């Protein structure tokens, strides 16, 4: 999964999609997923990386990252 | 190393709507509540299970005293009567009785509970449209205050007193127009169409019936204090008219209950906490109307109040746990909680205030809260803004003391335990969690369906 090229992501978690004019906000763990996607990481690498950085369990992380990636699709922020 | 990891919060992304202030990035709407009267929510759940009702004796006592003071500061003769249907757990009733409350009951079952809780018969007010002859007989015998609801009850009562030659202390329930719509005219006798006065005339013609009071209960969660002024004025006029016509001095006016608690009615824009009238406003409306109505000072009737939800809602909490976070088809977040409308019956009426137990970051999400029942009606909050909670997180529902622990349903799952935290912050189980055996004890299997 990739984030669309033209989407601007600020360090504070503010996102802007110039194609639609929509803005979004995301929290720190969400922003980290965005950054890793931008770096071209796949889902399993993202999960490993987040598990190292955040204090939580693997199942929780897996479920929440799946949900988050679904929301990125839902908001049409991704490209194949 | 685990200790160097950052605290985790479920990743959330939300679209900002142009022109509408985003809820994200704003300070937390509701502060977290991790402790009730010196007991941590986590410890309570660990010891007594989840979900769990908790009642604070401190808050209950303070609310009672505040209400009593609101009336006694304004009127010389006041008596509160605890409305059993609001919460008839014996431990709760006994606290009210120790604080000085009489009992207000609406069934034979509640009547027996009141007696068992040590209330003198003469301090039990027997209301309601469903009293049986046997129950009335007991109430006559105990010299309880019988509030007649309909003509058929009057005839049964008349027959009983005339048969037994024992007198009964009675009042009638009056309904009237006090600006509340729809008007509650199904209980008691209507004032404006003359029914109430006709019934009084009939009662006065029976030697064994002593008309001691007049009763009304104009509605519930009544937000207009003006309606109480009207009700109190009309009741006073009726008492004065009775004095004039029958030379009977009405000893008490029972204005019922109906005062709003701090809850927020569903669909209301304003938060109940800020918008609902205080008990002082209700007291002012009622007391000044009676004082202005023209009673001789030495014949002022005793003022009885049967407030239910306003006295107990705030002292009740429902603790529960998140079973799952899930995503709805339209992208909204939803939580499944371990309690539903079977336990939190008042979710049908209120947008209950719900807090988290941990301090979360500034991130908030719009979500729906569902219960665990496999039923579409099981919605605890249709819309709420909360931090991104996850499985295992705890929540605290506020203002749940009234009607939940009586109207809860044994439906699909068991009713939870109830814990009272006493004034020394010690928790006591006052109702056990139900088990399968509790339910099965009431069932019988016919012979042809048993095996072997
Ligand atoms: C006769 C009577 N009195 C008092 C109450 C208590 O009402 P509330 O909880 O609204 O104060 C009720 C409740 O319906 C009632 O029917």
């Amino acid at each position: 999964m990739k984030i669309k090229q033209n989407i601007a992501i600020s360090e504070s978690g503010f996102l802007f999609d110039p194609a639609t004019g929509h803005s979004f906000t995301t929290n720190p763990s969400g922003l980290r997923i965005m950054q890793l996607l931008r770096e071209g990481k796949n889902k399993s690498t993202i999960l490993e990386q987040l598990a190292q950085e955040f204090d939580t369990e693997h199942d929780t992380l897996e479920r929440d990252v799946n949900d988050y990636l679904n929301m990125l699709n839902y908001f049409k922020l991704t490209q194949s | 190393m685990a200790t160097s990891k950052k605290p985790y919060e479920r990743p959330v992304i939300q679209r900002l709507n142009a022109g509408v202030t985003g809820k994200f990035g704003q300070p937390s709407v509701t502060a977290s509540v991790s402790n009730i009267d010196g007991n941590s929510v986590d410890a309570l759940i660990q010891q007594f299970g989840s979900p769990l009702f908790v009642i604070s004796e401190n808050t209950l006592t303070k609310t009672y005293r505040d209400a009593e003071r609101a009336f006694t500061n304004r009127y010389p003769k006041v008596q509160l009567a605890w409305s059993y249907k609001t919460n008839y757990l014996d431990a709760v009733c006994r606290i009210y009785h120790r604080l000085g409350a009489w009992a207000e009951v609406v069934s034979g079952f509640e009547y027996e509970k009141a007696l068992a809780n040590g209330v003198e018969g003469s301090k039990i007010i027997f209301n309601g449209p469903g009293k049986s002859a046997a129950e009335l007989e007991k109430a006559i015998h105990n010299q309880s205050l019988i509030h007649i609801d309909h003509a058929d009850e009057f005839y049964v009562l008349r027959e009983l007193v005339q048969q037994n030659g024992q007198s009964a202390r009675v009042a009638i329930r009056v309904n009237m127009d006090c600006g509340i719509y729809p008007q509650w005219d199904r209980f008691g006798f209507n004032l404006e169409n003359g029914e109430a006065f006709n019934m009084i005339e009939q009662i006065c013609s029976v030697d064994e019936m002593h008309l001691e009071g007049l009763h009304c209960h104009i509605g519930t969660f009544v937000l207009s204090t003006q309606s109480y002024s009207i009700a109190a004025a009309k009741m006073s006029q009726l008492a004065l008219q009775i004095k004039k016509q029958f030379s009977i001095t009405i000893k008490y006016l029972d204005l019922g209950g109906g005062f709003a608690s701090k809850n927020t009615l569903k669909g209301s824009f304003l938060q109940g906490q800020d918008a609902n009238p205080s008990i002082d406003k209700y007291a002012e409306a009622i007391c000044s109307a009676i004082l202005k109505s023209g009673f001789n000072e030495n014949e002022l009737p005793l003022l009885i109040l049967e407030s239910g939800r306003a006295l107990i809602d705030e002292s009740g909490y429902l603790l529960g746990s998140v079973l799952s976070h899930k995503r709805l088809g339209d992208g909204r977040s939803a939580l499944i909680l371990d309690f539903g409308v079977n336990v939190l019956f008042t979710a049908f009426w209120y947008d209950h205030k719900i807090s988290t137990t941990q301090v979360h970051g500034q991130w908030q999400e719009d979500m729906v809260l569902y219960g665990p029942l496999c039923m579409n009606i099981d919605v605890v909050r249709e819309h709420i803004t909360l931090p991104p909670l996850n499985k295992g997180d705890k929540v605290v529902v506020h203002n749940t003391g009234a009607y939940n622990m009586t109207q809860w349903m044994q439906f699909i799952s068991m009713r939870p335990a109830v814990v009272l935290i006493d004034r020394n912050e010690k928790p006591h189980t006052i109702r056990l969690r139900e088990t399968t055996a509790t339910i099965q004890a009431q069932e019988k299997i016919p012979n042809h369906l048993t095996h072997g």
Side-chain angles (χ1 to χ4, degrees):
Chain A
M1 186 187 271
K2 285 195 183 115
I3 303 291
K4 281 185 191 160
Q5 277 303 325
N6 56 352
I7 290 185
I9 306 173
S10 84
E11 289 198 351
S12 61
F14 183 79
L15 281 80
F16 180 66
D17 182 351
T20 61
H22 289 149
S23 331
F24 304 84
T25 52
T26 187
N27 61 349
S29 56
L31 178 63
R32 193 69 191 106
I33 297 173
M34 284 294 209
Q35 289 165 343
L36 291 164
L37 283 170
R38 263 282 147 88
E39 291 168 18
K41 302 287 193 304
N42 64 15
K43 191 162 94 187
S44 64
T45 315
I46 292 174
L47 284 172
E48 275 168 34
Q49 188 62 35
L50 292 181
Q52 279 175 28
E53 294 177 19
F54 290 96
D55 183 16
T56 186
E57 283 159 21
H58 181 267
D59 286 1
T60 306
L61 209 49
E62 185 174 332
R63 186 195 57 221
D64 292 349
V65 168
N66 280 331
D67 177 56
Y68 191 80
L69 297 180
N70 284 339
M71 287 310 287
L72 297 185
N73 282 332
Y74 178 81
F75 287 134
K76 301 191 169 52
L77 298 173
T78 56
Q79 64 187 34
S80 41
Chain B
M1 260 172 28
T3 47
S4 66
K5 288 184 182 181
K6 285 183 272 190
Y8 176 71
E9 180 177 76
R10 176 160 56 76
V12 179
I13 180 165
Q14 188 156 303
R15 184 156 72 209
L16 296 173
N17 295 322
V20 179
T21 320
K23 291 194 174 77
F24 273 71
Q26 292 184 347
S28 196
V29 180
T30 40
S32 66
V33 172
S34 59
N35 186 295
I36 298 168
D37 287 6
N39 290 259
S40 93
V41 171
D42 285 343
L44 286 167
I45 284 183
Q46 201 162 17
Q47 188 178 351
F48 301 101
S50 177
L52 178 72
F53 276 108
V54 174
I55 296 173
S56 157
E57 188 171 350
N58 261 336
T59 307
L60 188 159
T61 304
K62 180 179 184 304
T63 313
Y64 184 90
R65 294 236 163 94
D66 286 350
E68 196 176 45
R69 201 174 313 116
F71 284 91
T72 52
N73 278 349
R74 295 174 169 90
Y75 193 81
K77 291 152 74 183
V78 177
Q79 179 61 52
L80 303 191
W82 176 238
S83 159
Y84 263 48
K85 72 158 88 61
T86 311
N87 188 320
Y88 45 56
L89 292 171
D90 289 332
V92 168
C93 296
R94 282 168 191 238
I95 300 173
Y96 283 112
H97 298 321
R98 285 195 184 179
L99 289 167
W102 293 1
E104 184 271 324
V105 304
V106 292
S107 69
F109 158 66
E110 290 185 358
Y111 189 93
E112 284 183 11
K113 265 185 162 266
L115 284 180
N117 283 326
V119 184
E120 272 173 51
S122 62
K123 294 178 176 174
I124 302 178
I125 295 169
F126 200 177
N127 278 321
K131 312 174 193 86
S132 71
E135 289 159 2
L136 285 171
E137 203 163 6
K138 194 188 266 185
I140 297 168
H141 176 77
N142 291 329
Q143 290 291 289
S144 300
L145 299 168
I146 301 171
H147 289 185
I148 303 172
D149 185 86
H150 48 75
D152 284 302
E153 187 177 301
F154 165 74
Y155 294 120
V156 173
L157 199 58
R158 185 172 67 180
E159 199 178 324
L160 287 171
V161 290
Q162 291 183 337
Q163 260 172 15
N164 302 348
Q166 195 174 10
S167 63
R169 303 169 68 203
V170 304
I172 61 163
R173 177 158 175 179
V174 179
N175 69 64
M176 67 199 102
D177 180 6
C178 15
I180 293 173
Y181 299 99
Q183 198 178 316
W184 277 28
D185 57 5
R186 57 173 284 189
F187 301 109
F189 303 88
N190 187 257
L191 182 70
E192 286 84 10
N193 72 9
E195 239 197 343
F197 205 75
N198 286 344
M199 180 44 62
I200 286 160
E201 215 165 7
Q202 281 184 277
I203 292 171
C204 292
S205 72
V206 182
D207 290 342
E208 296 86 353
M209 282 194 191
H210 300 315
L211 181 69
E212 296 202 7
L214 297 172
H215 171 230
C216 68
H217 172 68
I218 60 174
T220 192
F221 218 90
V222 177
L223 293 168
S224 146
T225 54
Q226 174 68 13
S227 297
Y228 283 97
S229 298
I230 298 172
K234 287 189 173 184
M235 295 276 279
S236 301
Q237 286 318 311
L238 183 59
L240 290 166
Q241 196 185 348
I242 291 167
K243 170 81 180 177
K244 203 162 140 199
Q245 202 133 338
F246 305 105
S247 302
I248 291 175
T249 305
I250 291 295
K251 289 191 192 150
Y252 68 88
L253 296 181
D254 179 346
L255 265 287
F259 311 142
S261 67
K262 299 294 173 214
N263 265 305
T264 304
L265 284 178
K266 267 193 169 179
S268 159
F269 180 69
L270 299 166
Q271 292 297 305
Q273 187 78 36
D274 313 318
N276 299 348
S278 65
I279 198 80
D280 281 282
K281 295 256 164 63
Y282 292 109
E284 181 61 32
I286 291 171
C287 298
S288 63
I290 300 176
L291 290 172
K292 275 194 296 210
S293 62
F295 285 106
N296 284 334
E297 207 162 313
N298 56 354
E299 283 188 355
L300 274 175
L302 172 71
L303 170 60
I304 298 181
L305 299 144
E306 307 168 343
S307 177
R309 61 183 86 228
L311 291 191
I312 197 167
D313 239 353
E314 249 184 295
S315 52
Y317 301 85
L318 175 60
L319 316 185
S321 311
V322 176
L323 297 179
S324 181
H325 165 253
K326 76 191 289 179
R327 187 65 62 183
L328 303 178
D330 62 3
R332 278 178 306 160
S333 256
L335 296 180
I336 305 175
L337 304 169
D338 66 352
F339 58 86
V341 293
N342 56 333
V343 169
L344 189 68
F345 184 87
T346 51
F348 287 128
W349 309 332
Y350 300 135
D351 283 339
H352 274 289
K353 175 183 162 190
I354 298 180
S355 319
T356 57
T357 61
Q358 285 159 2
V359 179
H360 288 260
Q362 60 184 347
W363 294 85
Q364 306 254 346
E365 238 189 332
D366 290 339
M367 54 177 100
V368 190
L369 301 183
Y370 295 119
L373 307 180
C374 196
M375 292 284 288
N376 205 35
I377 55 160
D378 194 22
V379 184
V380 172
R381 283 287 304 260
E382 269 126 31
H383 175 103
I384 189 167
T385 306
L386 284 174
L389 298 179
N390 249 345
K391 181 182 172 182
D393 286 334
K394 309 287 185 279
V395 294
V396 177
V397 188
H398 299 259
N399 299 321
T400 64
Y403 298 102
N404 284 304
M405 285 156 255
T406 50
Q407 281 187 280
W408 51 6
M409 292 172 269
Q410 191 279 301
F411 178 55
I412 299 184
S413 59
M414 299 301 138
R415 286 173 285 202
V418 183
V419 162
L420 175 79
I421 302 182
D422 73 18
R423 296 173 71 186
N424 297 319
E425 306 193 335
K426 185 171 173 343
H428 307 262
T429 303
I430 58 168
R431 192 176 195 275
L432 296 171
R433 173 179 299 275
E434 289 173 348
T435 65
T436 308
T438 321
I439 310 309
Q440 285 179 330
Q442 293 306 108
E443 296 193 28
K444 287 198 186 299
I445 298 174
N447 270 342
H448 72 285
L449 297 176
T450 56
H451 297 287

